[in-house]
Amino acid sequence: SVQQWMLFDYLTKKHRFQDTINVFERKYGIPLEAFEKRFETAEKEVYEERDDYIDWKAAHEFLIRINTKIQDIKSGNIKITD
């Protein structure tokens, strides 16, 4: 069914975004919230950290959206349009 295909697609994306988050948490040894505080209060900008922050934050935000979509599908709260 379309719902199963959509669920599979979103679960695949969820794992991809979670993997990205896990890479950064291992690299820096802290969760995103702690990294944000450190990044925002740093006296000197490190370009690699800035790039990592952008990717990490995006993965985090997409994960939140994907989780919402997964819950909507599981609860039958989806609307398929042409």
Side-chain angles (χ1 to χ4, degrees), residues 9-75:
D9 183 52
Y10 286 132
L11 287 170
T12 301
K13 290 175 182 177
K14 175 183 176 173
H15 290 291
R16 187 168 12 116
F17 294 131
Q18 188 61 60
D19 287 346
T20 299
I21 292 167
N22 291 343
V23 165
F24 290 124
E25 286 180 349
R26 281 192 303 274
K27 181 176 181 177
Y28 292 101
I30 53 177
L32 176 62
E33 295 78 16
F35 185 80
E36 283 179 313
K37 289 178 185 172
R38 188 180 92 181
F39 179 77
E40 291 170 358
T41 60
E43 292 181 23
K44 183 177 178 184
E45 184 174 308
V46 178
Y47 294 111
E48 180 183 0
E49 288 183 0
R50 183 201 61 203
D51 291 345
D52 286 351
Y53 172 68
I54 291 168
D55 292 341
W56 194 351
K57 180 78 172 178
H60 178 76
E61 290 176 3
F62 284 128
L63 183 62
I64 291 169
R65 291 182 196 159
I66 290 294
N67 282 332
T68 300
K69 291 181 183 291
I70 289 169
Q71 291 300 12
D72 287 346
I73 292 169
K74 287 182 175 180
S75 67

Side-chain angles (χ1 to χ4, degrees), residues 1-7 73 76-82:
S1 78
V2 173
Q3 284 180 315
Q4 289 174 328
W5 179 85
M6 290 173 65
L7 182 60
I73 292 169
N77 189 21
I78 62 167
K79 184 177 179 183
I80 301 172
T81 60
D82 294 337

